[in-house]
Amino acid sequence: MTYSQKFFNSANESNPEGELAVNILVGNIIEIATAHANMLGIGNPAMAHLGAGWVLSRLTIEMTRYPKCNTSYVLKTWVENWNRHFSTRDFSVEDEAGNILGYARSVWMVLDMTTHDNFGLAHLSLPDESVYGEPCPIAPQAKHTEILPYLTSESNANPKALKANVPDAEYTFKYNDIDFYRHVNTVRYITILLNRYSLEEFDRNFVNRLELSFLHEGSFGDTVSILRHNSSPLDSAFSLVSHKTGRPVIFARLTLAPR
């Protein structure tokens, strides 16, 4: 079973290059995933009495181009697979003529809102016909890699880790970064990452592939170091590391492609 929804890309939701902004696309991906889960009777309203709800664990997006400003596009979603702990949900993005612009793959878990542990999916019931089973035709997300700070001493470095080759930056999560679960919203993470690039870089290139892996929760007032390793002018890996815990909050990879 697939579920589709049509969206209109207004000027307010476009980037400076006149196309759908990546953070808006991700927000709409989460919106249609929520709508489909609610339609199937497995959404957050069905779990409110348990004090549990869906959260995103991983997201991979791969786009060949983006919808232009003042055009419509269609997001389609389906459940690829389902087990006791996680669910994989896929998406396609189509333009007004039905041409595929890109795909996304997401991995979701149900979080216990009190303990913030994985609640599991055993309490949910999903008919077999609701699992579409068609795999998403993009490469799976690679494993995340530790990134060491820019000024790390080579003698203390983990030999398997990447070392930041761009000076570290800092960011403190504020009110507008926090969502209903009182942790940092997925879209805000993407905005923070995209703001590490210049306008000129995005005038020349677009985000061809984005990988996000959510490792620990970020909360209001937390300060993170933004560690960045560029493996090429178009390929970057990022890690946001909490000053409070010393642990990475997210790991991300962005691959750009020339326009």
Side-chain angles (χ1 to χ4, degrees), residues 3-4 14 29 34 68 76 78 83 89 113-114 132 137 169 174 181 193 203 215 229 241 253:
Y3 178 79
S4 300
S14 296
I29 280 174
T34 301
K68 296 296 184 182
K76 180 185 293 183
W78 62 95
N83 60 40
R89 175 180 286 279
M113 295 305 156
T114 301
Y132 190 52
K174 304 172 180 64
Y181 296 123
L193 294 173
D203 282 343
L215 306 175
H229 174 87
V241 178
R253 288 187 181 90

Coordinates of all heavy atoms in Angstrom, one line a residue, residues 3-4 14 29 34 68 76 78 83 89 113-114 132 137 169 174 181 193 203 215 229 241 253:
Y3 N 1.0 5.7 -0.3 CA 0.2 6.8 0.1 C 0.8 8.0 -0.6 O 2.1 8.2 -0.5 CB 0.1 7.0 1.6 CG -0.6 8.2 2.1 CD1 -2.0 8.2 2.1 CD2 0.1 9.4 2.5 CE1 -2.7 9.4 2.6 CE2 -0.6 10.5 2.9 CZ -2.0 10.5 3.0 OH -2.7 11.6 3.4
S4 N 0.0 8.9 -1.2 CA 0.6 10.0 -2.0 C 0.0 11.3 -1.5 O -1.2 11.3 -1.1 CB 0.3 9.9 -3.5 OG 0.9 8.7 -4.0
S14 N 11.1 28.0 -1.1 CA 12.1 27.8 -2.1 C 13.5 28.4 -1.5 O 13.5 29.3 -0.7 CB 11.8 28.5 -3.4 OG 10.7 28.0 -4.0
I29 N 8.4 15.3 4.1 CA 8.6 13.9 4.2 C 8.1 13.4 5.6 O 7.4 12.4 5.7 CB 10.1 13.5 4.0 CG1 10.5 13.5 2.5 CG2 10.5 12.2 4.6 CD1 11.9 13.3 2.2
T34 N 3.8 10.8 8.8 CA 2.9 10.9 9.9 C 1.4 10.7 9.4 O 0.7 9.9 10.1 CB 3.0 12.3 10.5 OG1 4.3 12.5 11.0 CG2 2.0 12.5 11.7
K68 N 10.9 23.1 -8.9 CA 11.1 24.6 -9.1 C 10.1 25.4 -8.3 O 9.0 24.9 -7.9 CB 11.0 25.0 -10.5 CG 12.1 24.3 -11.4 CD 13.5 24.8 -11.0 CE 14.6 24.3 -11.9 NZ 16.0 24.7 -11.4
K76 N 5.3 10.4 -2.5 CA 4.7 9.1 -2.3 C 5.5 8.3 -1.2 O 6.7 8.4 -1.2 CB 4.7 8.3 -3.6 CG 4.1 6.9 -3.5 CD 4.2 6.1 -4.8 CE 3.4 6.8 -5.9 NZ 3.5 6.0 -7.2
W78 N 5.8 4.6 1.4 CA 5.3 3.2 1.6 C 6.2 2.6 2.7 O 7.4 3.0 2.9 CB 5.4 2.3 0.3 CG 6.7 2.2 -0.3 CD1 7.6 1.1 -0.1 CD2 7.3 3.1 -1.2 NE1 8.7 1.3 -0.9 CE2 8.6 2.5 -1.6 CE3 7.0 4.3 -1.8 CZ2 9.5 3.1 -2.5 CZ3 7.9 4.9 -2.7 CH2 9.1 4.3 -3.0
N83 N 9.9 -4.7 11.8 CA 10.3 -5.7 12.8 C 9.9 -5.3 14.2 O 9.2 -4.3 14.4 CB 11.7 -6.1 12.6 CG 12.7 -5.0 12.8 OD1 12.5 -4.1 13.7 ND2 13.7 -4.9 12.0
R89 N 10.7 3.1 6.1 CA 9.7 3.7 5.3 C 10.4 4.5 4.2 O 11.4 5.2 4.4 CB 8.9 4.7 6.1 CG 7.9 5.5 5.3 CD 7.1 6.5 6.2 NE 6.1 5.8 7.0 CZ 4.9 5.4 6.5 NH1 4.6 5.7 5.3 NH2 4.1 4.8 7.3
M113 N 8.4 8.0 26.0 CA 8.5 9.4 26.3 C 9.0 9.7 27.7 O 9.4 10.8 28.0 CB 7.2 10.2 26.0 CG 6.8 10.1 24.6 SD 8.1 10.8 23.5 CE 7.7 10.0 22.0
T114 N 8.9 8.7 28.6 CA 9.3 8.9 29.9 C 10.8 8.5 30.1 O 11.6 9.3 30.6 CB 8.5 8.1 30.9 OG1 7.1 8.5 30.8 CG2 9.0 8.3 32.4
Y132 N 4.4 -2.6 1.7 CA 4.5 -2.6 0.2 C 5.7 -3.5 -0.2 O 5.6 -4.2 -1.2 CB 4.7 -1.2 -0.3 CG 4.6 -1.0 -1.8 CD1 3.5 -1.5 -2.5 CD2 5.5 -0.3 -2.5 CE1 3.4 -1.4 -3.8 CE2 5.4 -0.1 -3.8 CZ 4.4 -0.7 -4.5 OH 4.3 -0.5 -5.9
P137 N 15.3 2.5 -4.4 CA 16.4 2.3 -5.3 C 17.6 3.2 -5.2 O 18.1 3.8 -6.1 CB 15.7 2.4 -6.7 CG 14.7 3.4 -6.5 CD 14.2 3.1 -5.1
A169 N 33.2 24.7 14.6 CA 32.2 25.7 15.0 C 31.4 25.3 16.2 O 31.4 24.1 16.6 CB 31.3 26.1 13.8
K174 N 18.4 26.5 20.7 CA 17.5 27.5 21.2 C 16.0 27.1 21.1 O 15.7 26.0 20.6 CB 17.7 28.8 20.5 CG 19.1 29.3 20.5 CD 19.3 30.5 19.6 CE 20.8 31.0 19.6 NZ 21.7 30.0 19.1
Y181 N 8.6 16.7 21.3 CA 9.2 15.8 22.2 C 10.3 16.5 23.1 O 10.9 15.8 23.9 CB 9.9 14.7 21.4 CG 9.0 13.8 20.6 CD1 9.1 13.7 19.2 CD2 7.9 13.1 21.2 CE1 8.2 12.9 18.5 CE2 7.1 12.4 20.5 CZ 7.2 12.2 19.1 OH 6.4 11.5 18.4
L193 N 23.3 22.4 9.4 CA 24.3 21.8 8.5 C 24.4 22.6 7.2 O 25.5 23.0 6.7 CB 24.0 20.4 8.1 CG 24.0 19.4 9.3 CD1 23.5 18.0 8.8 CD2 25.5 19.2 9.8
D203 N 25.0 28.2 -5.2 CA 24.7 28.7 -6.5 C 25.4 27.8 -7.6 O 24.9 27.7 -8.7 CB 25.3 30.1 -6.6 CG 24.4 31.1 -6.0 OD1 23.2 30.8 -5.7 OD2 24.8 32.3 -5.7
L215 N 22.0 9.9 16.8 CA 22.7 9.1 17.8 C 22.3 9.3 19.2 O 22.1 8.4 20.0 CB 24.2 9.3 17.7 CG 24.8 9.1 16.2 CD1 26.2 9.5 16.2 CD2 24.5 7.7 15.8
H229 N 34.6 17.2 8.2 CA 35.7 16.6 7.4 C 35.3 16.6 5.9 O 34.3 16.0 5.5 CB 36.0 15.2 7.8 CG 37.0 14.5 7.0 ND1 38.4 14.6 7.2 CD2 36.9 13.7 5.9 CE1 39.0 13.9 6.3 NE2 38.2 13.4 5.4
V241 N 28.8 17.3 18.3 CA 29.2 16.6 19.5 C 28.8 17.5 20.7 O 29.2 18.7 20.8 CB 30.7 16.4 19.5 CG1 31.2 15.8 20.9 CG2 31.1 15.5 18.4
R253 N 26.3 13.0 6.3 CA 27.1 13.1 5.1 C 26.3 13.9 4.1 O 25.1 13.7 3.9 CB 27.5 11.8 4.5 CG 28.5 11.0 5.3 CD 28.9 9.7 4.5 NE 29.9 8.9 5.3 CZ 29.5 7.9 6.1 NH1 28.3 7.7 6.3 NH2 30.5 7.2 6.7

